[in-house]
Amino acid sequence: MADEDEELAMPRDAKIVKSLLKSMGVDDYEPRVLHKFLELWYRYVVDVLTDAQVYSEHAGKPAIDCDDFKLAIQSKVNFSFSQPPPREVLLELAQNRNKIPLPKTTAGPGIPLPPDQDTLISPNYQFAILNERPAEPIEETEDEEATNPNPSLEEKIDMQQNPHQRVSFPLPKHQKD
């Protein structure tokens, strides 16, 4: 009895969507599905009407006619929906791809895995080797050592390979009062 009351209170468009779902064999669905289909339907209709109005105005017509609707629907079909390629094209692509043999596997114990460089479980880190030099206090002034603002390629590589080197900055000279 409650289902009949809901059916009577349902808008005509919702009844149409419900009957379409039933005709396609869909009996069990969320109630929100009807709302989503109605939203999609209304959006499509508004887009087609808007396009038809633009085409009519562009042609200088005082009102929208059947040709404007046909053009709007055809443009929607051409730019919104794409058809799969023909079966012959798919078969030709499959034959070309199947001409390339699969790589030979090395059958060993366990599950065959791809090479280490192709997996995400291979180690991808390197150990940093620290310099074991004793720390010596170094006092430097601006005059003693000049830093190179444009290091050579060899110096850049050396800096990248040994990142734990001691770095010193020139200290400003204190003026006596």
Side-chain angles (χ1 to χ4, degrees):
M1 190 78 171
D3 290 337
E4 292 176 13
D5 292 337
E6 286 181 19
E7 192 79 26
L8 291 174
M10 193 178 295
R12 183 180 65 90
D13 294 342
K15 290 178 187 176
I16 293 171
V17 171
K18 191 172 183 178
S19 67
L20 284 172
L21 288 172
K22 188 175 274 189
S23 71
M24 293 185 337
V26 180
D27 294 322
D28 189 28
Y29 53 87
E30 291 281 328
R32 294 179 289 181
V33 170
L34 288 176
H35 299 291
K36 290 296 178 185
F37 275 123
L38 285 173
E39 180 183 349
L40 178 68
W41 184 4
Y42 292 153
R43 186 178 306 149
Y44 180 79
V45 169
V46 167
D47 287 346
V48 168
L49 288 173
T50 305
D51 289 349
Q53 183 179 11
V54 168
Y55 297 146
S56 176
E57 289 174 1
H58 181 71
K61 299 177 188 173
I64 301 172
D65 61 5
C66 189
D67 292 334
D68 298 326
F69 283 117
K70 288 180 182 178
L71 184 60
I73 291 171
Q74 190 61 43
S75 68
K76 281 284 182 206
V77 169
N78 288 342
F79 295 114
S80 297
F81 305 106
S82 62
Q83 297 293 325
R87 188 167 194 261
E88 295 80 27
V89 172
L90 291 175
L91 287 174
E92 182 181 341
L93 288 172
Q95 287 175 346
N96 289 339
R97 182 64 182 156
N98 289 335
K99 287 179 184 176
I100 303 169
L102 292 173
K104 299 293 181 192
T105 59
T106 56
I111 299 172
L113 294 175
D116 282 343
Q117 68 267 15
D118 295 336
T119 63
L120 295 175
I121 58 174
S122 64
N124 60 352
Y125 54 86
Q126 295 177 350
F127 291 107
I129 300 173
L130 300 174
N131 288 339
E132 299 296 331
R133 293 186 213 159
E136 299 174 8
I138 299 176
E139 292 183 24
E140 297 178 3
T141 61
E142 291 177 359
D143 299 332
E144 290 178 353
E145 183 180 39
T147 58
N148 187 359
N150 298 321
S152 67
L153 180 61
E154 295 170 353
E155 291 172 341
K156 287 182 186 177
I157 292 172
D158 188 32
M159 284 189 269
Q160 290 173 352
Q161 290 176 350
N162 197 356
H164 301 287
Q165 290 182 346
R166 186 175 24 220
V167 177
S168 63
F169 299 99
L171 299 173
K173 294 184 181 181
H174 295 288
Q175 296 179 357
K176 296 182 180 178
D177 292 327

